[in-house]
Amino acid sequence: MRERGSEMRGGLRIFPDKQSLSRAVAEAFVDSADRLVSERHRFSVALAGGGTPRLLYQLLGGELRKNIPWAHVHFFLSDERYVPRDHPDSNYRLVREAMLVHVAMPPENLHFPRTDFEEPEAAARHYEQSLASFFAPVEPRLDWILLGLGEDSHLASLFPGSSALDETERWVVAVKDSPKPPPVRLTMTLPLINLAGEVHFLVSGREKAEALRSSREGPPNPGQLPAHGVRPLEGALSWWVDESAASGLKG
Ligand code: 6PG
């Protein structure tokens, strides 16, 4: 693993492949869970969707399962596709099949967005309310937020050029024009992401090299490069990437 300077865009850890990347993040998850549950009796995590984190979730629900205080872990999702929970595109289904079916978590620790409201906006407000209730009376400061990076540099369901990137108040919004199918999604916003204690990007594969390069090294352009808007107010920002994704980096 190579560590690069933690420039303004956060610390960078480069791994030979997705397997070693996923294991390293899984071990960091175990350490953070241990520490925060000892200190505060809970560990709140927004899980990323998409395919990259699947191996991480399998590790957490598999060989590392016994090292995690599941009764004190609380899961959210950084974003969700607006489909039924048993739909192949559902991030909930991804997380459930890769991890949740293998661990004993109290149902009340699973704070996933509902996708059965008539209007996605109503679902966004409901999810936002569940975040507010969980963290009341303070603002929702998730301990960890996991994010992937799209080939077009999107994160969660915040896409280049989207008006959702300009949101300054809401913590969750509905997106209806996602260029990545399905088109309708719910997503955490930058104000919520930037409240987190730790924000962790997981990026793997050569197809992400340009998105990673411009997100980390490109001139500031938050309207087209959503990661440029990820600046945790008090938290830490980390990039966990493999050699293929890092192949375009200069620094
Ligand atoms: C989603 C994800 C999305 C994902 C990126 C990377 O719901 O689609 O949250 O932001 O993280 O598109 O996806 P892959 O990991 O599959 O490359």
Side-chain angles (χ1 to χ4, degrees):
M1 183 268 280
R2 282 184 288 140
E3 204 147 355
R4 305 274 184 86
S6 58
E7 303 123 31
M8 65 173 176
R9 297 213 167 106
L12 177 70
R13 294 172 177 85
I14 304 176
F15 298 86
D17 49 38
K18 181 154 63 170
Q19 287 66 27
S20 51
L21 182 168
S22 304
R23 171 163 297 278
V25 179
E27 288 168 359
F29 181 103
V30 171
D31 293 348
S32 289
D34 219 21
R35 174 170 55 82
L36 290 169
V37 169
S38 311
E39 288 169 9
R40 294 191 232 140
H41 311 297
R42 76 184 190 187
F43 179 45
S44 59
V45 179
L47 299 169
T52 302
R54 181 191 302 277
L55 188 49
L56 165 64
Y57 301 153
Q58 288 170 339
L59 285 168
L60 295 176
E63 60 184 272
L64 296 176
R65 180 175 65 232
K66 295 196 177 0
N67 309 14
I68 296 167
W70 294 105
H72 302 282
V73 175
H74 291 263
F75 280 147
F76 300 77
L77 273 170
S78 311
D79 70 328
E80 180 57 288
R81 293 85 178 276
Y82 209 69
V83 295
R85 284 185 168 182
D86 58 356
H87 190 284
D89 286 347
S90 165
N91 285 333
Y92 164 78
R93 177 171 163 178
L94 157 77
V95 169
R96 181 176 179 280
E97 292 180 349
M99 176 169 54
L100 299 183
V101 292
H102 303 297
V103 302
M105 273 183 92
E108 61 272 21
N109 289 25
L110 303 177
H111 313 270
F112 297 121
R114 282 176 49 184
T115 57
D116 56 353
F117 284 83
E118 188 68 30
E119 277 307 314
E121 190 51 39
R125 289 192 180 282
H126 183 269
Y127 189 34
E128 202 169 50
Q129 188 48 52
S130 72
L131 281 152
S133 308
F134 180 79
F135 287 98
V138 297
E139 289 186 314
R141 295 177 187 282
L142 285 146
D143 293 316
W144 268 37
I145 293 185
L146 287 166
L147 296 169
L149 188 71
E151 291 183 48
D152 63 356
S153 298
H154 77 263
L155 56 97
S157 287
L158 298 172
F159 290 87
S162 167
S163 57
L165 289 170
D166 305 325
E167 181 56 53
T168 57
E169 301 298 326
R170 300 281 306 280
W171 293 329
V172 178
V173 295
V175 165
K176 297 189 176 155
D177 54 358
S178 163
K180 175 181 179 182
V184 184
R185 291 150 170 260
L186 304 178
T187 186
M188 290 187 170
T189 60
L190 291 172
L192 178 56
I193 292 168
N194 287 330
L195 283 174
E198 298 184 26
V199 178
H200 296 276
F201 277 99
L202 279 61
V203 191
S204 167
R206 192 164 302 281
E207 70 279 7
K208 304 293 179 74
E210 176 46 27
L212 180 61
R213 186 204 63 74
S214 48
S215 295
R216 275 194 59 85
E217 299 175 350
N221 184 357
Q224 291 304 318
L225 295 165
H228 289 183
V230 178
R231 295 180 178 280
L233 301 175
E234 295 173 7
L237 172 59
S238 299
W239 293 80
W240 306 74
V241 309
D242 64 14
E243 290 285 358
S244 301
S247 54
L249 294 179
K250 294 181 185 59

Coordinates of all heavy atoms in Angstrom, one line a residue, residues 48-53 79-81 91 147-151 154-157 180 185 204 207-208, ligand 1:
A48 N -22.2 2.8 0.8 CA -22.3 3.2 -0.6 C -23.0 2.2 -1.4 O -23.1 1.0 -1.0 CB -20.9 3.4 -1.1
G49 N -23.6 2.6 -2.5 CA -24.2 1.7 -3.4 C -23.3 1.3 -4.5 O -22.1 1.5 -4.4
G50 N -23.8 0.7 -5.6 CA -23.0 0.3 -6.7 C -22.2 -0.9 -6.4 O -22.4 -1.6 -5.4
G51 N -21.4 -1.3 -7.4 CA -20.7 -2.6 -7.3 C -19.4 -2.6 -6.5 O -19.0 -3.7 -5.9
T52 N -18.7 -1.5 -6.4 CA -17.4 -1.5 -5.8 C -17.4 -2.0 -4.4 O -16.5 -2.9 -4.0 CB -16.7 -0.1 -5.9 OG1 -16.6 0.3 -7.3 CG2 -15.3 -0.1 -5.2
P53 N -18.3 -1.6 -3.5 CA -18.2 -2.0 -2.1 C -18.7 -3.4 -1.8 O -18.7 -3.9 -0.7 CB -19.1 -1.0 -1.4 CG -20.0 -0.5 -2.4 CD -19.4 -0.6 -3.8
D79 N -27.0 6.6 -0.9 CA -28.1 6.9 -1.9 C -28.8 5.6 -2.1 O -28.4 4.5 -1.8 CB -27.5 7.5 -3.1 CG -26.7 6.5 -3.9 OD1 -26.0 5.6 -3.3 OD2 -26.7 6.6 -5.2
E80 N -30.0 5.7 -2.8 CA -30.8 4.5 -3.1 C -31.5 4.8 -4.4 O -31.9 5.9 -4.7 CB -31.7 4.2 -2.0 CG -32.6 3.0 -2.2 CD -31.8 1.7 -2.5 OE1 -31.2 1.6 -3.6 OE2 -31.8 0.8 -1.6
R81 N -31.6 3.7 -5.2 CA -32.3 3.8 -6.4 C -33.8 3.7 -6.0 O -34.2 2.9 -5.1 CB -31.9 2.7 -7.3 CG -30.5 2.8 -7.9 CD -29.5 2.2 -6.9 NE -28.1 2.2 -7.4 CZ -27.6 1.3 -8.3 NH1 -28.3 0.3 -8.7 NH2 -26.4 1.4 -8.7
N91 N -29.9 -0.8 -3.9 CA -28.7 -0.8 -3.1 C -29.0 -1.6 -1.8 O -28.1 -2.3 -1.2 CB -28.2 0.6 -2.8 CG -27.5 1.2 -4.0 OD1 -27.0 0.5 -4.8 ND2 -27.6 2.5 -4.1
L147 N -18.5 6.2 0.0 CA -18.9 6.7 -1.3 C -18.1 6.0 -2.4 O -17.0 5.7 -2.2 CB -18.7 8.2 -1.4 CG -19.4 9.2 -0.5 CD1 -18.9 10.6 -0.6 CD2 -20.9 9.2 -0.9
G148 N -18.8 5.8 -3.5 CA -18.1 5.3 -4.7 C -17.9 6.5 -5.6 O -18.2 7.7 -5.2
L149 N -17.3 6.3 -6.8 CA -17.0 7.4 -7.7 C -17.4 6.8 -9.1 O -16.9 5.8 -9.5 CB -15.6 7.8 -7.7 CG -15.2 9.0 -8.5 CD1 -15.8 10.3 -7.9 CD2 -13.7 9.2 -8.7
G150 N -18.3 7.5 -9.8 CA -18.7 7.1 -11.1 C -17.7 7.5 -12.2 O -16.8 8.3 -11.9
E151 N -17.8 6.8 -13.3 CA -16.8 7.2 -14.4 C -17.0 8.6 -14.8 O -16.1 9.3 -15.3 CB -17.1 6.3 -15.6 CG -16.7 4.8 -15.4 CD -16.9 4.0 -16.6 OE1 -16.5 4.4 -17.7 OE2 -17.5 2.9 -16.5
H154 N -19.5 11.2 -10.7 CA -20.6 11.4 -9.7 C -20.2 10.6 -8.4 O -19.5 9.7 -8.4 CB -21.9 10.9 -10.3 CG -22.1 9.4 -10.3 ND1 -21.9 8.7 -11.5 CD2 -22.5 8.5 -9.4 CE1 -22.2 7.4 -11.2 NE2 -22.6 7.3 -10.0
L155 N -20.9 11.0 -7.4 CA -20.8 10.3 -6.1 C -22.2 10.3 -5.5 O -23.0 11.2 -5.7 CB -19.8 11.1 -5.1 CG -20.1 12.5 -4.8 CD1 -20.9 12.7 -3.5 CD2 -18.8 13.3 -4.8
A156 N -22.5 9.2 -4.8 CA -23.8 8.9 -4.3 C -24.7 9.1 -5.6 O -24.4 8.6 -6.6 CB -24.2 9.8 -3.2
S157 N -25.8 9.9 -5.5 CA -26.5 10.1 -6.7 C -26.5 11.6 -7.0 O -27.5 12.2 -7.5 CB -28.0 9.6 -6.6 OG -28.0 8.2 -6.7
K180 N -27.3 7.8 -14.9 CA -27.0 6.4 -14.6 C -28.3 5.7 -14.2 O -28.9 6.1 -13.2 CB -26.0 6.2 -13.5 CG -25.7 4.7 -13.1 CD -24.7 4.6 -12.0 CE -24.5 3.1 -11.6 NZ -23.6 3.0 -10.4
R185 N -33.8 8.5 -8.0 CA -33.0 8.1 -6.8 C -33.2 9.0 -5.7 O -33.7 10.1 -5.8 CB -31.5 8.1 -7.2 CG -31.1 7.0 -8.3 CD -30.0 7.5 -9.1 NE -29.4 6.4 -9.9 CZ -28.3 5.7 -9.6 NH1 -27.7 6.0 -8.5 NH2 -27.9 4.7 -10.4
S204 N -12.1 1.8 -7.7 CA -11.4 0.7 -8.2 C -11.6 0.6 -9.7 O -12.7 0.8 -10.2 CB -11.9 -0.6 -7.6 OG -11.4 -1.8 -8.3
E207 N -11.3 2.1 -15.5 CA -12.3 3.0 -16.0 C -12.6 4.2 -15.2 O -13.2 5.2 -15.6 CB -13.6 2.2 -16.3 CG -14.3 1.7 -15.0 CD -13.8 0.5 -14.4 OE1 -12.7 0.0 -14.8 OE2 -14.4 0.0 -13.4
K208 N -12.1 4.2 -13.9 CA -12.3 5.3 -13.0 C -11.1 6.3 -13.0 O -11.1 7.3 -12.3 CB -12.5 4.8 -11.6 CG -13.7 3.8 -11.5 CD -15.0 4.5 -11.7 CE -16.2 3.5 -11.6 NZ -16.5 3.1 -10.2
Ligands
6PG1 C1 -25.3 4.1 -7.0 C2 -24.0 4.4 -6.3 C3 -23.1 5.2 -7.2 C4 -21.8 4.4 -7.3 C5 -21.0 4.8 -8.4 C6 -19.9 3.8 -8.7 O1 -26.3 3.9 -6.3 O2 -25.2 4.0 -8.2 O3 -24.1 5.0 -5.1 O4 -22.7 6.5 -6.7 O5 -21.1 4.5 -6.1 O6 -21.8 4.8 -9.6 O7 -20.5 2.6 -9.0 P1 -19.6 1.2 -9.1 O8 -19.0 1.0 -7.7 O9 -20.6 0.2 -9.5 O10 -18.5 1.5 -10.1

